Structure formats: C-alpha cells, structure tokens
C-alpha cells in the first residue's frame, strides 16, 4: 500500500464538508474531514451511536454541544465525544483538516 498524506491532496472547497474514509474495520472507522468555512445547519445535531475521537490537525474550528458548551479548537487539540452526546460544527476556517476515529462502544 502506498504512503499517503493527510494534507495532500485536499479536495476543492465546496458547499459541503468532505468526508473521506482512510481505514475501516469492524468496530473502527478512521476518516479525514476537510472543511472550508463550513458549519452545521442551526437546527442540526450529530447524534451518533458510536464514540468519536476527533483531532483538529489543521485550521480552526468550534464545536457546540446541546448542553450549551462551545469549544474552540486549535491545531493539535483532540477530544473524545461519547456516543449519544449531541454536537454540531459551529464554525470552521479555511482548509481545516480533522482526523476522526469512530469506535463502536
């Protein structure tokens, strides 16, 4: 399998965030998410059945949780979002790259 790079090539900016699976195994999915000034719709919440470990690799982002918490992320910041914790992307900057690991609890 050839070596690949998390930052190159990046998909062109579009109206939606770009989700790219990097590795999938039973109970595990690793994906790259690329955002360009994207945010979730105001009335939309992710409500996932799996735990999500997410790291902001490049750019800037804010996550909002349904309990009112707003979390600003800088490159290198990471967190674990437990299954069922409703959240949304409040804002992102240009060429923002996330690494997300989804785990079946």
């Amino acid at each position: 399998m050839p070596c690949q790079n998390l930052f190159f090539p990046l998909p062109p900016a579009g109206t939606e965030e770009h989700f790219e699976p990097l590795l999938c195994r039973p109970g595990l999915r690793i994906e790259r998410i690329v955002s360009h000034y994207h945010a979730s719709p105001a009335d939309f919440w992710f409500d996932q059945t799996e735990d999500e470990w997410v790291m902001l690799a490049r750019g800037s982002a804010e996550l909002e949780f349904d309990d009112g918490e707003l979390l600003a992320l800088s490159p290198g910041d990471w967190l674990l979002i437990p299954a069922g914790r409703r959240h949304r992307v409040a804002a992102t900057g240009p060429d923002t790259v996330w690494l997300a690991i989804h785990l079946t609890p």
Side-chain angles (χ1 to χ4, degrees):
M1 179 173 172
C3 179
Q4 298 189 33
N5 189 295
L6 190 65
F7 303 114
F8 182 81
L10 291 181
T15 58
E16 302 287 328
E17 287 182 297
H18 180 82
F19 295 83
E20 179 183 357
L22 302 178
L23 177 68
C24 295
R25 297 285 188 268
L28 171 74
R29 184 176 78 254
I30 300 174
E31 65 186 1
R32 176 179 78 168
I33 305 167
V34 179
S35 310
H36 296 279
Y37 297 110
H38 292 104
S40 301
D43 59 347
F44 174 82
W45 296 95
F46 288 102
D47 190 1
Q48 301 169 161
T49 59
E50 51 197 7
D51 294 334
E52 180 181 11
W53 180 93
V54 65
M55 180 186 76
L56 187 71
R58 181 162 87 180
S60 61
E62 290 184 345
L63 291 178
E64 181 181 3
F65 297 89
D66 70 347
D67 62 4
E69 180 182 5
L70 186 64
L71 185 61
L73 300 174
S74 298
D77 289 344
W78 62 269
L79 69 148
L80 178 66
I81 304 171
R85 182 155 192 218
R86 290 169 29 114
H87 63 285
R88 60 185 297 279
V89 177
T92 63
D95 298 322
T96 297
V97 179
W98 312 74
L99 185 62
I101 301 173
H102 300 269
L103 302 159
T104 302

